[in-house]
């Protein structure tokens, strides 16, 4: 008897509130101001999203100095250091800050604890844009801790005045292991007022934990520079999946991965549009995996308002349009 083939589809998956806000910010900026609109760094870490916005007239640059003087520039969802805002002012740039509000929360915590003269142990990956931005808020106070193995290397001024913060897109389990190791070294270590790892990262990891033990293969749709997507692959493997693969597009699927498989788990990182997931499900259906079961961990309803600079200009444009229509 042939065993039933099925797909376990994680819920939630894909876009989080911060990513949706950032992508919509660039789309509305293009509609309002016209092309080109410059974006410092990738607005979110997803190849497909970046290519789609480039096709509409967005120009992605690595540094502020690449933006022509007086032009419009959007800061990515990952946040920037204060020096970047200063550079933009010097070039008379019109800035729209699309930093995720949950990242802004970590920036605010870093400034507050630095003002109180704490040593700040920032758990995160060296070179990640979010870590660079947060570190820039208080570089003389922040020590980067890149996982549990890095704990032994940290030196602080006063072991009784130490706080930990974290990058928002990390593995929850690994972060807690790092915190435990830090607490062994610094028993009076203070925790942030609320968890820095964002709700969306946690929910997507929890959904994968639920489906992974039943899955022969777990497919994670996401880009390799997406921290939260890479973590989902790790979580799937740690939670019992037979194998797990990170793919940008449905075309990246190797059909050989499914040899002997009866259950395939599917999820996507927080910067991945749903149409890519639908494409993956179509490929799986073509291989006999047409039975899709939803594995729900949480229902997400959080939304964020657009950046204040963009809201202001949208209101002004609406008033102008209304006045012209009535004249």
């Amino acid at each position: 008897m042939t065993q039933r083939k099925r797909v376990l589809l994680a819920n939630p998956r894909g876009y989080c509130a911060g990513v949706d806000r950032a992508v919509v910010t660039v789309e509305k900026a293009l509609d309002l101001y016209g092309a080109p609109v410059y974006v410092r760094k990738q607005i979110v870490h997803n190849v497909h999203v970046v290519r789609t916005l480039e096709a509409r007239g967005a120009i992605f640059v690595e540094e502020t100095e690449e933006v022509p003087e007086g032009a419009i520039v959007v800061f990515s969802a990952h946040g920037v250091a204060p020096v970047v805002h200063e550079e933009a002012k010097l070039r008379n740039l019109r800035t729209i800050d699309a930093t995720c509000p949950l990242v802004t929360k970590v920036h605010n915590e870093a400034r507050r604890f630095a003002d109180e003269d704490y040593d700040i142990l920032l758990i995160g990956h060296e070179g990640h844009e979010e870590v660079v931005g947060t570190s820039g808020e208080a570089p003389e106070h922040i020590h980067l801790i890149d996982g549990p193995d890095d704990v032994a290397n940290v030196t602080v001024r006063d072991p009784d005045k130490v706080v930990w913060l974290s990058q928002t897109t990390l593995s929850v389990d690994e972060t807690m292991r790092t915190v435990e190791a830090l607490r062994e070294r610094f028993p009076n270590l203070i925790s942030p007022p609320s968890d820095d790892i964002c709700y969306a990262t946690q929910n997507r990891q929890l959904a994968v934990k639920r489906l992974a033990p039943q899955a022969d293969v777990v497919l994670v749709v996401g880009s390799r520079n997406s921290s939260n997507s890479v973590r989902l692959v790790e979580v799937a493997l740690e939670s019992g999946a037979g194998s797990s693969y990170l793919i940008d597009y449905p075309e990246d699927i190797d059909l050989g991965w499914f040899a002997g498989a009866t259950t395939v788990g599917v999820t996507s990182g927080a910067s991945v549009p749903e149409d890519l997931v639908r494409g993956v499900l179509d490929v799986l259906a073509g291989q006999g995996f047409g039975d899709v079961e939803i594995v729900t961990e949480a229902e997400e309803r959080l939304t964020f308002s657009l950046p204040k600079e963009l809201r202001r200009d949208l209101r002004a444009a609406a008033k102008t349009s209304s006045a012209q229509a009535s004249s």
Side-chain angles (χ1 to χ4, degrees):
M1 180 172 140
T2 304
Q3 195 166 359
R4 177 175 67 107
K5 290 183 176 182
R6 61 177 180 159
V7 173
L8 300 179
L9 182 60
N11 177 43
R13 63 186 177 277
Y15 272 14
C16 63
V19 164
D20 186 61
R21 173 183 187 260
V23 174
V24 171
T25 292
V26 179
E27 291 173 341
K28 286 193 175 294
L30 286 164
D31 291 340
L32 181 62
Y33 309 117
V37 167
Y38 291 83
V39 184
R40 187 184 181 278
K41 307 290 187 181
Q42 292 188 0
I43 186 66
V44 296
H45 285 159
N46 184 263
V47 170
H48 179 72
V49 170
V50 169
R51 287 176 178 170
T52 301
L53 292 173
E54 282 178 332
R56 289 194 54 184
I59 297 177
F60 292 86
V61 299
E62 284 300 305
E63 300 300 339
T64 314
E65 63 190 22
E66 299 173 56
V67 182
E69 288 206 20
I72 294 167
V73 62
V74 178
F75 294 145
S76 80
H78 308 103
V80 298
V83 66
V84 175
H85 289 281
E86 295 166 11
E87 292 168 355
K89 283 182 182 177
L90 289 174
R91 297 183 63 77
N92 297 313
L93 301 181
R94 296 168 62 189
T95 60
I96 300 173
D97 190 352
T99 301
C100 173
L102 300 179
V103 174
T104 299
K105 177 182 81 72
V106 181
H107 281 226
N108 293 339
E109 290 169 350
R111 287 197 301 272
R112 178 167 71 84
F113 284 112
D115 288 344
E116 296 173 11
D117 204 29
Y118 278 82
D119 275 297
I120 300 166
L121 308 182
L122 177 61
I123 303 171
H125 298 307
E126 186 170 4
H128 189 279
E129 287 155 37
E130 183 185 326
V131 166
V132 172
T134 302
S135 298
E137 294 287 356
E140 67 283 1
H141 287 266
I142 289 178
H143 310 266
L144 181 61
I145 310 295
D146 199 343
D149 294 339
D150 213 14
V151 170
N153 302 321
V154 67
T155 302
V156 300
R157 295 167 300 159
D158 181 353
D160 291 325
K161 202 163 185 181
V162 183
V163 62
W164 71 270
L165 302 176
S166 81
Q167 182 181 328
T168 63
T169 55
L170 300 179
S171 159
V172 176
D173 292 340
E174 182 177 350
T175 300
M176 290 303 103
R177 287 195 293 271
T178 305
V179 171
E180 288 169 10
L182 286 170
R183 207 172 292 285
E184 285 181 13
R185 283 205 62 195
F186 309 110
N188 293 325
L189 178 72
I190 293 175
S191 297
S194 60
D195 198 340
D196 285 343
I197 297 178
C198 90
Y199 77 96
T201 297
Q202 295 189 52
N203 287 344
R204 281 149 189 72
Q205 289 177 17
L206 289 170
V208 167
K209 281 185 177 183
R210 285 190 58 188
L211 65 81
Q214 307 172 65
D216 302 301
V217 183
V218 172
L219 300 179
V220 178
V221 187
S223 294
R224 298 194 178 281
N225 64 336
S226 165
S227 177
N228 76 87
S229 298
V230 172
R231 300 290 85 72
L232 288 173
V233 173
E234 295 172 354
V235 168
L237 294 171
E238 290 168 359
S239 301
S243 59
S244 185
Y245 302 95
L246 182 66
I247 56 172
D248 265 305
Y249 291 99
E251 306 88 80
D252 298 336
I253 293 173
D254 182 341
L255 299 182
W257 295 340
F258 310 127
T262 58
T263 301
V264 177
V266 175
T267 190
S268 56
S271 51
V272 176
E274 184 64 9
D275 60 328
L276 294 181
V277 175
R278 294 296 159 194
V280 169
L281 294 179
D282 289 343
V283 171
L284 290 171
Q287 298 301 306
F289 295 90
D291 187 357
V292 179
E293 299 176 20
I294 308 295
V295 177
T296 298
E297 176 58 36
E299 296 293 344
E300 295 177 349
R301 296 181 176 86
L302 181 66
T303 59
F304 295 130
S305 59
L306 292 171
K308 61 180 185 298
E309 308 94 337
L310 183 58
R311 294 201 310 270
R312 178 197 63 212
D313 289 355
L314 286 168
R315 283 195 300 269
K319 284 182 181 178
T320 300
S321 177
S322 177
Q324 290 173 344
S326 59
S327 62

